[in-house]
Amino acid sequence: MATKVYIDGRVYPPEEATVSVFDRGFLYGDSVYEVTRTVRGRPLELGAHLARLERSAEAIALVLPPRAEIVRAIDETLAAAANAESYLRIMVTRGAGPINLDPAAADRPRLIVLVKAMELPPTKAYSDGVAVCIVGVQRNLRRAVDPRVKSGNYLNNLLALAEAKQSGAYEALMCDFQGRLAEGSTSNYFFVRDGAVLTPPLDVGILEGITRHRIMDLAHKAGLPVHEMELWPRDVKSFSEAFLTSSVRGIVPVVTIDATPVGAGVPGPVTTRVMAAYAAFLEAS
Ligand code: PDD
């Protein structure tokens, strides 16, 4: 089990993996990134993650290295780490330069690929579900840094998670400026009502999760009604089930929201069905 980091053409052990303090990723969070995991050694949904990286970069006018170079760096780093399964983080910063907000002050983009051994949440999280809470920290406005952009500036999400942890919750559930349910600090949310699978729409201002997209497709193929719809904290009492999703966690059942049980307060039949469909998808990947 090893951690390896690719920086600018070379793979380093973690203790030698350093970037300049003048790097704009460090100074301003001026970077974009992706996170996925491997399945049987291959990065899960790599094409979709790289496409999102490209969309994020385009949105902040950051020019990425060519996709082939990124793929080569991923392959090299995974090979050097030689883990059974890996967590994979692909980052591109705008580069280093003088202290100056102007993006034109950056020298050139830096590609960093971090690989470490894959660690799933504890089995209990999947079998018993987790507690989440609706936090006061709002999801960013789409006219600020659009939540669709997976940028290196995660301070908002970090504060949301810290608030959730203070209440003993596993993950935050953020709302947008209007109070509509949005997403977690590093996850998307799904709810079940009257047998239908509901999830906040993208225009609320959330990250377009790769797992979210996959789950919507799998649930639809399993014959479940799936709806993207505006949801509010007052809707929570009408939900019989809830779950959250992300590439490195898959699906985690949510059994309480703000310390109130969701439905029966245990992972429900729809969640279990979607989890089985996702497990089969991973098996076939
Ligand atoms: N984050 N929403 C936010 C704000 C996220 O940061 C993430 C993922 C997701 C889920 O997206 P996906 O299904 O594509 O992983 C939703 C990763 C895991 C992270 O930053 O660690």
Side-chain angles (χ1 to χ4, degrees), residues 21 51 65 71 91 102 129 141 170 172 186-187 202 216 226 282:
V21 294
V71 170
M91 296 164 268
D102 185 354
L141 284 171
Y170 168 82
T186 54
S187 58
L202 297 178
M216 287 172 70
V226 181
L282 289 185

Side-chain angles (χ1 to χ4, degrees), residues 70-83:
I70 299 178
V71 170
R72 211 163 40 240
I74 293 168
D75 287 344
E76 249 182 68
T77 320
L78 284 172
N83 296 318

Side-chain angles (χ1 to χ4, degrees), residues 33 52 150 154 157 183 185-188 209-211 246-247:
Y33 81 104
R52 188 171 65 188
K150 201 158 169 57
Y154 253 50
N157 299 36
E183 66 178 335
S185 65
T186 54
S187 58
N188 291 115
I210 308 298
T211 322
S246 79
S247 299

Side-chain angles (χ1 to χ4, degrees), residues 33-36 49 52 87 89 139 147 150 154 157 174 183-188 206-213 245-249:
Y33 81 104
E34 280 297 321
V35 173
T36 188
H49 282 281
R52 188 171 65 188
Y87 163 105
R89 189 178 181 93
R139 193 61 177 112
K150 201 158 169 57
Y154 253 50
N157 299 36
M174 283 182 278
E183 66 178 335
S185 65
T186 54
S187 58
N188 291 115
I206 57 174
L207 184 74
E208 192 171 3
I210 308 298
T211 322
R212 173 185 181 276
H213 191 263
T245 66
S246 79
S247 299
V248 284
R249 278 178 291 219

Side-chain angles (χ1 to χ4, degrees), residues 19-69:
V19 292
S20 165
V21 294
F22 294 100
D23 190 285
R24 299 171 61 93
F26 173 75
L27 287 173
Y28 312 123
D30 190 4
S31 62
V32 291
Y33 81 104
E34 280 297 321
V35 173
T36 188
R37 58 164 293 184
T38 62
V39 175
R40 282 179 298 282
R42 299 308 310 152
L44 180 64
E45 307 241 37
L46 185 60
H49 282 281
L50 293 179
R52 188 171 65 188
L53 186 73
E54 285 160 5
R55 290 196 299 277
S56 294
E58 196 184 338
I60 65 163
L62 189 161
V63 180
L64 291 180
R67 198 190 266 221
E69 186 182 329

